[in-house]
Amino acid sequence: MKKVLIGSTILGLFSMCAHAQSSVTLYGLIDTGLVYSNNQLGHSNWQMISSATQNTVFGLKGDEDLGGGLHAIFKLEQAFVLNNGAQALPGDSFGSQALIGMQSDAYGTMMFGRQFDVVNDLVGPLSAGYNTWGGSIAAHPFDNDNLASNAVIFNNTVKYISPTYLGATLETMYAFSNEPGNFAVNRAYGFALSYTKGPVNLAAGYLQMNNPGTGLGAVTTNDGSANFIAQRQRIWSLGGNLTFGAATVGLLWSHTQIDNAAGVLSFGTGTYLGASDPSAGTLDGSLRLDNYEVNAKYSLTPALSVSGAYTYTHGSYNGSSPGWNTGMLQCDYAVSKRTDFYLEGVYQNVHGAPPNSVLSHAMLNTLSPSSTSTQVAVTAGMRHTF
């Protein structure tokens, strides 16, 4: 009897220890490169640039096993500029992500805090602009659909992620304005659905932002993490890819409606163009953008890969029909599981935009705008993850 009691006690103690298991992980990604561009603000430029393809970040993430398939989780992540060590999002201690939540194996995950949106989570991975084999510099014009790796980050956000069932995963979110008397001003909400079955990946989503860039709500201009100042921004997106052997081929469409736009962020300078910068032209009215992307990646060897993408963006703005052609080619060589080198070229041309509009200037993401309708950039870079 005593042996039974002792055995039960030991088993109980082990069970308590198992339930109390927790982990905290330090992680990060560093991306830096030398970039040549033919035109930035009227001049060709050689520069060292941080985060040309992926956000340069470090962070802490934790998981505590509470037992019964329930976990407490958190993530604190800071984006920084490798060139000088400065914050990539000025004034934010953990500007990339700052969240806490509960994860249930049976019922899904609920997270609270500063987070990326659901469209970026599920549709983004189908776009070249989200991935290491294309990245931020290859984003759609102005990253108008939030699909690139350095997309808009939302404050005051509650997000739910369902368990994966028969290959399908659902995400939904609501980002509060937190402003007394202005519940609907600078808030955001959306949903997205993905499906994975063998070599097939599909995803679709919708995201709406009311008064983005206004005040201190869901999407703020204070740290440069917004991309438009407008009355409302709505995004629909749909994409898929197919993997066969060493190749992956994808198609993606997104539609963005921006009502009463007043300015657009130049990611290269962290400043707004348009109404706030008359020298860069104006942006005042409703803007509609349809992005049509085709992308492909092929692994020549386990270490060497080539990739490419082409996006045609058709716009509608104050009676005009601007159009953007954006093309990307990259070659990547991985010297280990955590370190790789890449050579990437990106081209953009815009036509049909009003000459007094900021839309008439080509502007590759992460670079300052061109003074003309064309911009070309070539990047030789290195990435390391830890």
Side-chain angles (χ1 to χ4, degrees), residues 29-35 48-56 82 132 330-333 335-336 338-344 379-385:
L29 185 150
I30 298 173
D31 176 6
T32 189
L34 300 178
V35 181
M48 177 182 173
I49 191 169
S50 177
S51 306
T53 63
Q54 300 289 294
N55 287 346
T56 294
L82 187 70
T132 57
Q330 187 198 90
C331 180
D332 182 87
Y333 183 74
V335 296
S336 72
R338 297 191 298 159
T339 303
D340 66 301
F341 295 88
Y342 62 89
L343 180 65
E344 180 169 342
T379 306
M382 174 182 179
R383 279 184 298 250
H384 177 76
T385 60

Side-chain angles (χ1 to χ4, degrees), residues 40 43 69 83 95 104 133 176 181 202 222 224 269 319 341:
Q40 288 190 60
H43 304 278
N83 299 26
S104 167
W133 47 267
F176 291 84
L202 304 171
N222 289 3
T269 62
F341 295 88

Side-chain angles (χ1 to χ4, degrees), residues 33-49 83 137 268-269 364 366-370 375-380:
L34 300 178
V35 181
Y36 168 77
S37 52
N38 72 321
N39 189 318
Q40 288 190 60
L41 305 176
H43 304 278
S44 62
N45 194 19
W46 287 92
Q47 64 189 116
M48 177 182 173
I49 191 169
N83 299 26
I137 197 169
T269 62
L364 296 175
T366 75
L367 301 180
S368 298
S370 172
Q375 192 170 55
V376 178
V378 178
T379 306

Side-chain angles (χ1 to χ4, degrees), residues 249-313:
V249 177
L251 296 172
L252 188 144
W253 164 81
S254 65
H255 174 76
T256 301
Q257 294 186 193
I258 305 167
D259 300 327
N260 293 327
V264 59
L265 180 68
S266 169
F267 285 97
T269 62
T271 57
Y272 275 86
L273 307 175
S276 61
D277 185 2
S279 65
T282 60
L283 183 64
D284 184 15
S286 295
L287 177 63
R288 303 289 184 265
L289 296 165
D290 282 282
N291 305 282
Y292 304 92
E293 177 185 334
V294 56
N295 57 63
K297 179 188 177 185
Y298 185 78
S299 297
L300 298 168
T301 71
L304 180 64
S305 66
V306 293
S307 58
Y310 169 74
T311 300
Y312 177 69
T313 302

Side-chain angles (χ1 to χ4, degrees), residues 124-167:
L126 302 175
S127 171
Y130 180 97
N131 287 281
T132 57
W133 47 267
S136 303
I137 197 169
H140 301 157
F142 316 112
D143 190 21
N144 65 83
D145 48 13
N146 282 18
L147 297 183
S149 62
N150 63 352
V152 174
I153 308 166
F154 291 77
N155 297 323
N156 318 321
T157 300
V158 179
K159 181 192 292 183
Y160 170 74
I161 304 173
S162 76
T164 299
Y165 180 70
L166 298 178

